[in-house]
Amino acid sequence: MTTLKELLVDVLEGIEGRKAWGGETFIPTGFRELDKLGGLARPGELTLIAAPLEISKLEFALNCTMSGLKVIEDLNLSIFAPNLSSRLIVNKFMSAEGRIHREKIETGDLNEDEQERIVNAGRFLYSLGDRVTLSNKRNIKDIGSEIESFAASSKKDRAVVLVSEVNAIDGGNVLGDLKALALKLNIPIVALKTLPMECTKRPDKRSKITDLNDADRMHADRVVFVYDDGYYNWESPWKGRAEIIVAKNIAGSVGSFYLAHQPDYCSSVSY
């Protein structure tokens, strides 16, 4: 049991500590429309980013967290990706930071300008040092242990966790366990989830809050859906435009906005 006095001290210290975040109580994402809605990651909260298989959620999440790393000098990021190799994630960072086609990153077929850009991207990523860690652990207990160690080694209010993909994690109530960790450690956790294909069989293929089960809706403090009409209609006039839908937000407003979606460059940018 905690007294109100203890909680007030903790809250006031947190507000003071977040002055380095530009006065905000969330980690800046670089997307002004999302930040107006309260951002993506807030201490003690679990954010769920969900979409069907065809639509990439990871690149959007990486873009958001990378922006935070650039703004907050001592912010640490821990990425858990049981379904992806760590090398692939690094390649996504390189593609987005260097503005180089992801296939060229894989093949190494780069022209002179691209070689210079990839060197500069590599230098920046290397400059982050130990601030970014990656893990391929698949069991929620193992992941939980690593998250606790990560939080303990980070400064207060200077840690964020990204988990991709929750469907690939074994054991227990994954989102419930992640929410408990976010509360216990007072850190933001962002989790990615692939929705079932049934969601794409209706005329309006935008994901809805009812596409999540009751437990997911209960544990997530914030639910963000990613929709790109071009994945379903190659002749769509909106091809290349991603709609970001904030469907649940306990600390702000709900709403939607659009980004220029550039999956070949592992990137999304504001209009």
Side-chain angles (χ1 to χ4, degrees), residues 164-177:
S164 169
E165 132 99 36
V166 297
N167 290 344
I169 297 175
D170 301 326
N173 178 3
V174 175
L175 284 183
D177 289 347

Side-chain angles (χ1 to χ4, degrees), residues 73-89:
E73 291 184 358
D74 51 358
L75 180 68
N76 291 336
L77 167 65
S78 189
I79 302 172
F80 294 85
N83 60 326
L84 296 172
S85 71
S86 297
R87 181 187 178 90
L88 179 60
I89 294 175

Side-chain angles (χ1 to χ4, degrees), residues 116-173:
E116 182 177 353
R117 280 186 278 136
I118 200 169
V119 168
N120 290 333
R123 285 174 177 164
F124 166 72
L125 294 172
Y126 189 81
S127 73
L128 296 175
D130 298 330
R131 293 171 57 197
V132 181
T133 59
L134 298 97
S135 172
N136 300 116
K137 292 288 178 60
R138 300 186 64 91
N139 185 276
I140 188 59
K141 289 185 178 180
D142 295 334
I143 291 172
S145 296
E146 288 201 3
I147 290 176
E148 294 206 36
S149 297
F150 165 70
S153 64
S154 301
K155 294 182 181 179
K156 186 176 182 181
D157 296 326
R158 293 297 184 270
V160 59
V161 172
L162 174 60
V163 181
S164 169
E165 132 99 36
V166 297
N167 290 344
I169 297 175
D170 301 326
N173 178 3

